[in-house]
Amino acid sequence: MTSKRLNTFNVLFISLAVVAVGYVIRTPWLPIRRETKTSMGYPEDSLMNFTELTGKYGYISEEHHVITDDGYILTMFRIAKAKNCHKRKRSPPVLLMHGLLQSSDSWIDSGPNAGLAYLISDACYDLWLGNVRGNYYSRGHVHLNPDKDAEYWNFYIEEIGMYDVPAMIDYVLDYTGFEKLNYIGFSQGTGTFLVMCSERPGYCDKVQLVIGLAPAARQINTKSKIFRTLTQTFDKVEGALSMYGVQEVLCKGAFSQEFVAYFCQMSDFTERLCETIIDVFDHVESPHSGSITNETTKVLFGHFPAGTSVHNMARYGQSMKSDRFEKFNYGKEQNLVIYGSEQPPLYNLSATTVPVLCIYGKNDGLVDVKDVEWLMSKLPNVIESVKVEEPLWTHMDVTYSQYTGDTIFPKINEYLLKYTSA
Ligand SMILES: *[C@@H]1O[C@H](CO)[C@@H](O)[C@H](O)[C@H]1NC(C)=O
Ligand SMILES: *[C@@H]1O[C@H](CO)[C@@H](O)[C@H](O)[C@H]1NC(C)=O
Ligand SMILES: *[C@@H]1O[C@H](CO)[C@@H](O)[C@H](O)[C@H]1NC(C)=O
């Protein structure tokens, strides 16, 4: 073959491979019925949704729907009655926001004695849980069809911060009649809050206290090779994928999620392999053995990954390369057209004027200590920045560890109490 033909061949081949992989990670599999999974031995908890699962453990949850200014329909949950709280609810309400590729279920996967949603509502706070656009609870829109309209998937943390977070805050405040709430965000859940403060003047003032758990902004020091490679690949192939109609990735019910869910509960051996996968994904050097129990491992893969857009994943790929916390980089020429500058504009971190408590781990391979410390140096109102004492505390531990009650909850509770009115 001539080199030109060889090149064409290569491009074709790579495109086909990309599309094949794209479909595998996106395409909904034949939905396997719940009864079938139960008979195959999947743990019951992995098959339940938020209301069912909290209900099983004696908590009563409500489901709420919120429509954003740009038409996305989001699902929120509120724990209306906690099993171990017998007093009047503490005010103001607390809004708990999951991380990338998660849903509200990630706060309950580790069970009643460890899931932060249980611990916080047992301490009598009026707890609300958000779900951002694109995950399986928030995959709706007033006129776009996520299965047909590519436009639905044209979002990254920018839109989540501009529309989803403000809409959820407004909804909770309207519903409860309070003027402010306390916000807890894990990883992306904090990053999108920072975007909101930068892009939506006034919204920061609706929050009394922000608790950033392993907050993700700039991620140039991220150690996880898998996460780096995965997101940077999405950044490279976003155009090719979209040509073939692949805009959604790693959704629940997709081949990838169904496969890990099946694989992780198949046998003791594969289950241990899944624990290793979590460790490798998070951090390569020193796993925090036993922190995430084998039961939790099986349950969490029933709810994770929960889906997002290729565009959002691509933006994470960019954030591993840039030492700035900035908007999507479309390349110099396109940036000039879109932003009027060759470099994407920065998010204004000085606009996060609300008091911030930050809690982060030394063994976090996704949001590195150096990047958290950089972020804290940029925020104008950090009241305390707490490095978790446990030296092996990882990223995934925040939502899934069995030790949250002793390691991070006391600090969270101390500050929620301090910022409780009446
Ligand atoms: C959760 O499951 C219950 C019971 O099957 C169902 O009524 C409810 O609609 C489900 N909620 C969501 C958000 O899927
Ligand atoms: C779960 O983990 C514990 C301790 O880590 C171990 O003793 C137990 O055998 C494991 N159970 C299964 C089913 O693998
Ligand atoms: C960033 O936000 C702060 C606080 O709202 C404001 O004083 C400052 O002018 C903003 N900076 C830019 C570049 O917009």
Side-chain angles (χ1 to χ4, degrees):
M1 277 194 271
T2 65
S3 80
K4 194 168 169 213
R5 274 178 63 199
L6 192 66
N7 265 339
T8 316
F9 178 79
N10 274 342
V11 168
L12 256 175
F13 180 79
I14 292 170
S15 305
L16 277 176
V18 161
V19 168
V21 171
Y23 271 106
V24 165
I25 51 190
R26 183 201 69 146
T27 309
W29 220 13
L30 293 172
I32 308 173
R33 288 175 41 239
R34 189 184 281 203
E35 299 77 54
T36 315
K37 286 183 177 172
T38 307
S39 69
M40 284 163 81
Y42 282 60
E44 190 186 31
D45 290 11
S46 75
L47 306 175
M48 291 181 149
N49 69 27
F50 191 90
T51 15
E52 293 173 308
L53 193 46
T54 47
K56 171 177 168 180
Y57 292 108
Y59 297 73
I60 299 171
S61 303
E62 302 167 352
E63 186 180 325
H64 293 259
H65 296 278
V66 180
I67 300 179
T68 67
D69 285 349
D70 59 346
Y72 287 72
I73 305 169
L74 313 176
T75 300
M76 297 187 79
F77 295 99
R78 178 196 203 183
I79 298 191
K81 190 167 181 329
K83 188 173 174 217
N84 302 313
C85 166
H86 306 288
K87 283 186 299 193
R88 206 168 60 85
K89 287 222 174 286
R90 290 196 174 108
S91 54
V94 174
L95 175 53
L96 187 57
M97 198 64 72
H98 61 79
L100 174 68
L101 291 171
Q102 292 184 317
S103 76
S104 51
D105 299 347
S106 51
W107 300 110
I108 55 173
D109 281 334
S110 57
N113 299 314
L116 276 180
Y118 292 121
L119 300 180
I120 293 169
S121 50
D122 278 343
C124 296
Y125 299 101
D126 180 12
L127 182 67
W128 294 72
L129 297 100
N131 283 291
V132 303
R133 59 185 62 196
N135 89 11
Y136 53 83
Y137 285 126
S138 293
R139 211 173 162 282
H141 192 278
V142 290
H143 66 263
L144 295 173
N145 177 345
D147 291 321
K148 296 205 181 98
D149 301 316
E151 200 189 328
Y152 176 94
W153 297 101
N154 188 18
F155 67 81
Y156 67 105
I157 55 163
E158 164 97 355
E159 286 76 17
I160 298 173
M162 284 268 287
Y163 302 111
D164 294 3
V165 182
M168 290 189 262
I169 290 177
D170 278 341
Y171 184 90
V172 172
L173 296 181
D174 280 353
Y175 196 90
T176 58
F178 281 92
E179 272 176 20
K180 292 192 181 208
L181 54 75
N182 292 334
Y183 182 99
I184 306 176
F186 169 46
S187 194
Q188 170 180 283
T190 305
T192 50
F193 186 88
L194 304 173
V195 170
M196 177 186 77
C197 290
S198 168
E199 305 301 302
R200 295 290 299 266
Y203 267 91
C204 229
D205 299 335
K206 301 189 182 204
V207 174
Q208 199 170 251
L209 166 76
V210 180
I211 302 181
L213 306 172
R218 179 184 101 166
Q219 286 187 271
I220 196 162
N221 292 299
T222 289
K223 290 198 198 82
S224 167
K225 287 206 179 63
I226 295 189
F227 189 60
R228 240 174 213 282
T229 311
L230 182 72
T231 55
Q232 291 184 353
T233 304
F234 277 117
D235 190 24
K236 287 205 189 80
V237 302
E238 184 182 359
L241 285 175
S242 102
M243 256 162 52
Y244 293 96
V246 179
Q247 276 95 15
E248 175 184 21
V249 284
L250 299 164
C251 61
K252 184 169 151 69
F255 176 80
S256 50
Q257 187 266 328
E258 289 286 7
F259 178 77
V260 286
Y262 172 70
F263 185 78
C264 295
Q265 60 79 48
M266 197 164 74
S267 71
D268 286 359
F269 172 72
T270 57
E271 183 267 318
R272 269 195 293 282
L273 216 58
C274 285
E275 285 172 23
T276 313
I277 291 171
I278 299 179
D279 283 333
V280 170
F281 190 77
D282 195 318
H283 189 61
V284 216
E285 287 152 36
S286 27
H288 193 188
S289 307
S291 170
I292 302 175
T293 67
N294 36 25
E295 186 58 24
T296 301
T297 305
K298 291 183 213 170
V299 173
L300 79 89
F301 281 113
H303 303 130
F304 176 91
T308 192
S309 64
V310 173
H311 198 50
N312 195 30
M313 292 300 279
R315 166 62 178 60
Y316 275 92
Q318 297 181 354
S319 75
M320 312 271 143
K321 288 189 290 194
S322 169
D323 61 0
R324 301 148 37 99
F325 184 45
E326 63 191 0
K327 299 197 181 208
F328 200 96
N329 192 343
Y330 294 94
K332 281 185 185 166
E333 274 173 39
Q334 277 292 92
N335 287 344
L336 262 177
V337 177
I338 296 169
Y339 306 123
S341 59
E342 286 189 352
Q343 273 199 317
L346 295 173
Y347 289 114
N348 184 0
L349 291 171
S350 307
T352 300
T353 47
V354 50
V356 175
L357 163 70
C358 170
I359 303 179
Y360 61 111
K362 292 177 217 166
N363 191 32
D364 188 323
L366 293 174
V367 173
D368 193 84
V369 170
K370 289 197 220 65
D371 290 325
V372 174
E373 286 169 355
W374 172 85
L375 175 63
M376 292 306 118
S377 75
K378 300 283 174 194
L379 297 178
N381 199 0
V382 178
I383 37 176
E384 194 177 346
S385 193
V386 182
K387 222 188 253 183
V388 175
E389 257 174 56
E390 165 58 60
L392 294 178
W393 194 253
T394 67
H395 200 68
M396 298 302 190
D397 277 342
V398 174
T399 37
Y400 304 123
S401 170
Q402 60 172 320
Y403 305 127
T404 49
D406 292 330
T407 47
I408 57 173
F409 180 66
K411 201 66 182 178
I412 294 173
N413 197 25
E414 176 194 326
Y415 272 85
L416 287 180
L417 264 180
K418 231 185 245 180
Y419 284 79
T420 288
S421 49

